[in-house]
Every structure is written in C-alpha cells, then in structure tokens.
Amino acid sequence: MQTKLFIGGAFVDAVEGTTIPVLNPHDGSPIADIAEARAADIDRAVAAARAAFPAWSRMAAADRGRLLLKLADRIEEDSASLARLESLDTGHPLRDTRGLDVPRTAATFRYFGGMADKVQGSVVPVEAGFLNYVQRTPLGVVGQIVPWNFPLMFTSWKMGPALAAGNTVVLKPAELTPLSTLRIAELMAEVGFPPGVVNIVPGYGATAGQHLAEHPGVDKIAFTGSTATGRRIVQASAGNLKRVQLELGGKGANIVFEDAFLPAAINGSAFAIFHNQGQACIAGSRLLLHEKIADAFLDGFLKLAASIRVGDPMDPATEMGPLTSRQHQERVLTYCRIAHQEGGEILLGGMPPQDYALSKGFYLQPTVVRAQPQDRVCQEEVFGPFVAVSTFKNEEEAIAIANGTEYGLGGGLWTQHLQRAHRVANAMRSGMVWINCYKRVNPGSPFGGIGQSGYGREMGFEAMHDYTDAKSVWVNVDAQIPPWYPR
Ligand code: NAD
C-alpha cells in the first residue's frame, strides 16, 4: 500500500518524493509506504489551510456542524474497515477498535458537530450608556500534532472542536500510525468538507512537526505527546507567539483503600493499565494499595493479569495486542531491567510472551512490579503494560505518594467511604480523577492535565474555549454627545 499527503482537498505526492515505511506490530512486516511530509509540504498545507479559512470561518456554524455530523455517520458506516485498519497499524485488539476506538471517534465528531452552533458569546453588564458584548471568534489555522497510541480517536479529539469553532487544520499524525487518519481525510472529502479546511501531513517530528510548530502562518499548535517534545513545541512556537495547548505524559496513581470493593477494584485496575497495552497517557501505571488489603488485592489482580489473552490483534478473542513499535517494546523492556536493578520485585511478566507465533511481533506480557514510590519505575512514564505497585499506611500517605511525581494528568481511587472519596479526589493534583472507576472519557467532559502533563483542555465547552478567542465589542448607546474626557 502507498499513501499520499492530503493537501488542499486532494491526495498529493510529497515534494521531495520520500516515503516512510509503516510496519505491522504483530509481525514486523511492512504494510505501507507513506509519503513523507517535509518543510515544503508543510508550507503547502499551511497555505491551503490559510486560503480556506475565510470562507470556512464565515460559513454558518450549523452548516459546519452538519458536515461533522455527516462525517460521524460516515465513520459508523465504515466502522468495520476502519477498525481493521486501526488494529493493523497500531496493534490495538480488534475488540477494542470495534468497541471503543471507532464508536468513540464517531461520537466525538458528532458531539462537536452538535456543538458548532451552540458556542454563544455573552453580554457584559457594564456602565450605563454602553453595550459590551463578547464574541467567540476562531483563531485561524491550527496545527495539530499527535502521537501513535490512539491515532483514530485523536482525529476527532483534535479536529472536532477546531473545525466546529471555524478554524482550519493542518494535522500531523505520528509517523508510525498515519493510516486511519488518512482514511478519515478520504471520508471528509467524501462528505463534502471544502478543500483546504483539513490537511493531513504525516512526517517525522524533528522535520515536519518542528516546521509546523515554528510556522509563522499557524495561529495555534495543539500537541499531544511526550513532555520532552512538549517543551520543544513551546520553544518552537515563540517566533509568532502562537497559542499552544499541550496534552503530555502522565503517571496515573490508582489508589485502592482498605474499604474498597475489591472485585470491582481489581477489574478496574486491570483495565486502567492493560487496556491498549498500557499505551495511554492516563493509564493507571502506579497502583497504590493499602497495606491491609495489598495481599488479597494482589492475589486476584495477578490471577486476572496472568489470564489476559495476549495475541494477534486481528483475532477477535485477543485482549492485549503488541506494543506499537519495536523501539517502544525495547524501551518498556529497559524499564523491566531498571525495576530489577532498583531492587524491585517482578511479580508477573517482564518479558515477551513465549508463544512462537508472536515471536516476530512487538509483544510484552502483562507486567506487575513491586517498587518504592521514589524508584524510577514509579516516577517515569513507561507507557506499556507495566504497573508499579507500592503500599501505604493511611490516607495522608496515599495522597502524598499520588501527588509525588512531576505529572498531573489522571488518577483514580477505590473506596466505599463517601466522604473519603470526595476528600481524596479533591486532594489529588490531577486534571482528571475517577472514583470507583478508571479511564472514563466522554466528549462532553474536559480532558487534560496540570504540572508536567501540560495545559489546555480537550473535549466539552472547554475545548471550544481553547479553539476560540474572546472578542470584546463596545458600543456607545448613549444619546448624549460624550465629553472629550471619558466618564
Ligand atoms: P512524542 O512526543 O515522541 O511524539 C508525539 C508527536 O510529536 C509525533 O507526531 C511526533 O512525530 C511529534 N514530534 C516529535 N518531535 C517533535 C518536534 N521536535 N517537534 C514537533 N513535533 C514532534 O510522543 P510519542 O512517544 O509518540 O507518544 C507517547 C507520549 O504521548 C507519551 O508521553 C504519552 O503520555 C503522550 N500522550 C499524551 C496524551 C494526553 O492527552 N495527555 C495522550 C496520548 C499520549
């Protein structure tokens, strides 16, 4: 399979003609050669987005919304093939891409389609003789850079609010997983998005991504990825002082109190870390157990983790697929070695599965490690099916450990004590908290972090706010001739 760049409403070759190989994480075999966007292609895409902006931003908001709604319908019609494409490219099990990634993508586009004509301004009660109203106006051309872990869903998280608000978009998918994003571009063209409103330019971060982040023709960069790259984006954005929104790494604390309902906590904690092979910024990668229930919890948790069916993502029975790249598999294995060197105890996994049928793929067994809160494996984002377990004595200590990393994205707690639940949620330094559940997301609920997890919010009205400016208009409604000096 060969793919092209999507610029100005058409699929076009890259200016320099270079390509990037895309591999199947199940067995390392090549599945596509994608056209590689470099600086000249980014320039073309930004120019196309800029040219499309005046008409798109002036289009009736309800009409922009209607296109997003049509896209959501079209995604649902195409759901079987989109799910297969996403599984092939990323290694997500088909049961997840069918059951979560595709429906959530459609739901998010639909949510923002409905939102397009509901972004209202306000009238401010100012002094007599004046009317002051505030309009929400689109920013212009938005550059969007996303990672490889949920490429399909990110199309909707990023483009949904940006387009609904009247911006035009240049989106750079991760070089590892661009296929579903290119398919969404096809569907957008089919349902009638005008040329240039959306441009898709897969390429490497250091070239295409950096150029987009620096580009003087881009008004905002919305970035999802690692904290290290986020810092580079901020620096690159300084030239034209473009707006920046950052969804960065996380090290989610998942606290199980002594009064938790353990069967639910065990299941929820497994989903928190093993769904999508742990390649989620909001993964519950630190499991904090009250010392009184630690043994009982671990007994059930380890049994469950050991029973997870690891295998070919295209097999509908598979519960955990491969990691998305060889390089990433090696990175997670390095953390298994670090855990060992730091004196941690590997309670489960720590290596690729022994199954010969999986030996060419980028697999890793579900891994559970006992470690101390200050260890590297409890402080650094591993981004794999790797959970670090530590214990605590009381609520105060649990909160201190939970808040003891540089990150602040998502975290959870399990307790049947109503007051404790809200008290601890309130004390957690985290953009999102889940009580007796984990990793719930919904297009209406703000998503984002604090601290080194970034700033700005996706989803909900917050996202619309982040993709618009507040324009304040003052009107003199007084019948009198004003004095020369303001009252
Ligand atoms: P990454 O930062 O290496 O890459 C992310 C994207 O940035 C890719 O498209 C990449 O090509 C691009 N990029 C790389 N260098 C760049 C540069 N100098 N300038 C511009 N763009 C550049 O991250 P990754 O390893 O691909 O993804 C995993 C990370 O993403 C994890 O840290 C994870 O927590 C984070 N993430 C965060 C969220 C969130 O919403 N907070 C969601 C998913 C993933």
Side-chain angles (χ1 to χ4, degrees):
M1 190 199 303
Q2 277 211 318
T3 68
K4 298 187 176 197
L5 311 176
F6 184 70
I7 297 177
F11 283 92
V12 298
D13 289 318
V15 170
E16 294 185 38
T18 48
T19 59
I20 303 175
V22 173
L23 306 182
N24 179 346
H26 168 59
D27 58 9
S29 62
I31 48 177
D33 270 320
I34 56 154
E36 179 200 354
R38 293 191 174 177
D41 306 291
I42 300 294
D43 290 344
R44 271 199 301 171
V46 172
R50 176 95 7 240
F53 177 69
W56 180 250
S57 56
R58 280 199 301 266
M59 182 189 273
D63 291 338
R64 287 199 301 264
R66 191 172 303 135
L67 284 171
L68 288 163
L69 296 172
K70 274 193 193 171
L71 176 65
D73 291 345
R74 190 65 192 83
I75 288 169
E76 280 170 351
E77 282 162 29
D78 207 39
S79 60
S81 83
L82 262 175
R84 277 196 305 277
L85 187 64
E86 187 75 339
S87 289
L88 182 73
D89 197 6
T90 62
H92 296 193
L94 200 52
R95 63 156 62 189
D96 285 348
T97 53
R98 277 181 187 160
L100 293 174
D101 302 44
V102 175
R104 283 182 176 178
T105 303
T108 305
F109 275 123
R110 187 166 288 129
Y111 174 85
F112 286 110
M115 176 76 91
D117 58 356
K118 290 158 196 79
V119 183
Q120 297 176 351
S122 58
V123 177
V124 182
V126 293
E127 49 276 31
F130 291 92
L131 165 68
N132 176 247
Y133 62 90
V134 181
Q135 290 174 301
R136 304 289 331 174
T137 56
L139 304 174
V141 175
V142 175
Q144 304 184 320
I145 301 176
V146 297
W148 42 262
N149 56 334
F150 290 103
L152 179 63
M153 285 205 308
F154 288 149
T155 61
S156 60
W157 289 33
K158 287 275 182 279
M159 293 198 285
L163 295 172
N167 303 285
T168 53
V169 166
V170 177
L171 187 151
K172 192 201 84 61
E175 55 276 24
L176 291 171
T177 58
L179 300 183
S180 56
T181 309
L182 291 164
R183 177 69 187 137
I184 290 290
E186 257 173 357
L187 299 182
M188 290 177 118
E190 253 181 67
V191 300
F193 278 84
V197 166
V198 162
N199 305 274
I200 307 292
V201 282
Y204 291 111
T207 49
Q210 181 80 21
H211 194 65
L212 185 59
E214 285 170 353
H215 208 293
V218 172
D219 300 291
K220 167 177 173 166
I221 282 282
F223 172 74
T224 297
S226 62
T227 298
T229 308
R231 279 199 194 94
R232 274 188 220 115
I233 299 274
V234 172
Q235 284 158 0
S237 71
N240 70 336
L241 294 178
K242 58 174 70 63
R243 283 224 206 164
V244 180
Q245 178 183 344
L246 300 173
E247 303 290 352
L248 307 178
K251 192 72 188 172
N254 182 26
I255 311 172
V256 185
F257 285 101
E258 66 277 27
D259 52 18
F261 179 51
L262 286 194
I266 288 169
N267 283 352
S269 303
F271 178 74
I273 186 61
F274 298 125
H275 165 243
N276 200 30
Q277 296 75 257
Q279 301 169 128
C281 51
I282 52 175
S285 54
R286 289 184 297 150
L287 193 46
L288 314 186
L289 304 178
H290 190 276
E291 58 186 16
K292 274 195 198 144
I293 49 88
D295 288 345
F297 179 94
L298 277 176
D299 192 40
F301 185 74
L302 290 171
K303 276 193 192 117
L304 196 166
S307 75
I308 292 175
R309 286 191 293 262
V310 180
D312 183 349
M314 306 311 272
D315 178 345
T318 292
E319 295 172 324
M320 228 182 79
L323 299 176
T324 297
S325 70
R326 168 79 64 208
Q327 194 192 15
H328 190 54
Q329 181 202 33
E330 278 161 12
R331 183 182 136 89
V332 182
L333 282 167
T334 301
Y335 275 103
C336 297
R337 285 191 285 279
I338 291 172
H340 189 66
Q341 286 157 11
E342 287 181 318
E345 185 187 356
I346 301 208
L347 303 174
L348 186 76
M351 61 179 78
Q354 300 306 303
D355 184 350
Y356 178 72
L358 307 181
S359 57
K360 287 191 187 147
F362 313 145
Y363 288 90
L364 189 75
Q365 291 175 351
T367 297
V368 184
V369 171
R370 198 194 293 273
Q372 298 302 316
Q374 289 316 312
D375 290 349
R376 280 182 66 188
V377 294
C378 293
Q379 292 290 320
E380 297 173 19
E381 189 180 41
V382 178
F383 216 59
F386 179 110
V387 63
V389 183
S390 45
T391 55
F392 63 88
K393 288 187 172 53
N394 53 42
E395 190 177 302
E396 216 181 7
E397 192 188 9
I399 293 167
I401 297 174
N403 290 345
T405 76
E406 62 178 5
Y407 294 111
L409 191 57
L413 63 118
W414 300 83
T415 178
Q416 296 187 79
H417 189 305
L418 180 71
Q419 288 168 316
R420 163 177 279 165
H422 294 288
R423 193 166 57 232
V424 176
N426 191 43
M428 283 174 83
R429 236 185 102 258
S430 184
M432 290 159 285
V433 177
W434 297 280
I435 298 172
N436 293 332
C437 58
Y438 205 97
K439 258 175 70 161
R440 301 300 310 175
V441 289
N442 181 286
S445 182
F447 185 103
I450 57 177
Q452 302 299 297
S453 294
Y455 45 76
R457 289 293 178 269
E458 305 202 281
M459 311 295 208
F461 281 92
E462 301 278 343
M464 300 307 288
H465 189 266
D466 279 11
Y467 278 106
T468 52
D469 267 328
K471 181 174 191 171
S472 169
V473 181
W474 284 86
V475 189
N476 180 355
V477 292
D478 204 339
Q480 309 295 318
I481 297 172
W484 78 269
Y485 197 81
R487 287 162 284 175

